[in-house]
Amino acid sequence: MKKPVFLITSLIGALFIGSCTSYTDKDYGPVSFETAFEDGDDMLFEGPNEAIVTIPFTPEEFDIKKETVGGMKLQSITLNTNFPGGFGVFENLKVEVSSDNTSSLTIGVMNEVPNGNVITIEGLESAKIEKFNTVDEFYLQIEGNLKEDLDEVFDVFGEFTLSVESSEE
């Protein structure tokens, strides 16, 4: 009776230890981007609007092998604009990522937006980006609720840094 229990316990222990992967956090970034809130006719309407940009996923540029990438989290994203009213024209801002292989995930939120032309949004601790080790690009989406109509495109540029879990030592 003791022999089968010992064998089963040993087998479960070996599977558990073998399935555990230790990860080291590495920085992916800073990555620069440019995009714009636009609605096709140089007019933005009060309410929800979005800006989307495609970002190449090239962890090798930051000495990270793509196949070793586990989860990722946004450290921070800095947004800049030359718009005269600054970001104060928005009630709130939300940053999301997605890819052709993954659904959309909110990784940063700013509930009260200051009037400045430069803002920084910290990443959400609970938002872990998964399954990006098989993609060549992903979509960075910035959503915001405008307080009023705008009769021009709202350009945004900036940079972000992700914290990447890598199984590399």
Side-chain angles (χ1 to χ4, degrees), residues 8-29:
I8 291 172
T9 304
S10 298
L11 182 61
I12 291 172
L15 287 173
F16 179 73
I17 291 171
S19 66
C20 291
T21 303
S22 64
Y23 289 102
T24 304
D25 287 341
K26 297 186 175 190
D27 287 350
Y28 179 83

Side-chain angles (χ1 to χ4, degrees), residues 134-169:
T134 60
V135 302
D136 294 324
E137 63 185 18
F138 63 93
Y139 309 105
L140 178 69
Q141 182 173 339
I142 305 164
E143 296 179 7
N145 285 318
L146 279 173
K147 295 177 184 177
E148 58 190 50
D149 293 348
L150 298 179
D151 59 359
E152 60 186 284
V153 171
F154 190 96
D155 292 318
V156 178
F157 58 97
E159 63 183 27
F160 63 89
T161 301
L162 300 173
S163 179
V164 176
E165 294 175 340
S166 173
S167 59
E168 287 182 287
E169 302 239 351

Side-chain angles (χ1 to χ4, degrees), residues 94-131:
K94 176 171 65 170
V95 180
E96 297 182 338
V97 292
S98 64
S99 74
D100 292 338
N101 300 349
T102 62
S103 57
S104 183
L105 175 67
T106 300
I107 58 172
V109 174
M110 181 172 276
N111 290 320
E112 294 180 23
V113 183
N115 286 329
N117 284 37
V118 179
I119 60 171
T120 299
I121 300 174
E122 300 298 322
L124 296 173
E125 188 61 35
S126 61
K128 188 173 180 181
I129 305 165
E130 303 274 357
K131 301 179 184 173

Side-chain angles (χ1 to χ4, degrees), residues 37-78:
F37 289 87
E38 54 188 337
D39 199 20
D41 59 359
D42 292 341
M43 176 101 184
L44 293 169
F45 295 100
E46 178 182 353
N49 288 273
E50 64 184 14
I52 300 173
V53 61
T54 302
I55 306 288
F57 185 56
T58 53
E60 298 82 8
E61 290 182 16
F62 300 100
D63 295 324
I64 305 168
K65 293 179 184 169
K66 188 182 287 190
E67 61 273 5
T68 69
V69 172
M72 299 182 292
K73 292 183 180 183
L74 175 67
Q75 286 182 11
S76 65
I77 183 168
T78 300

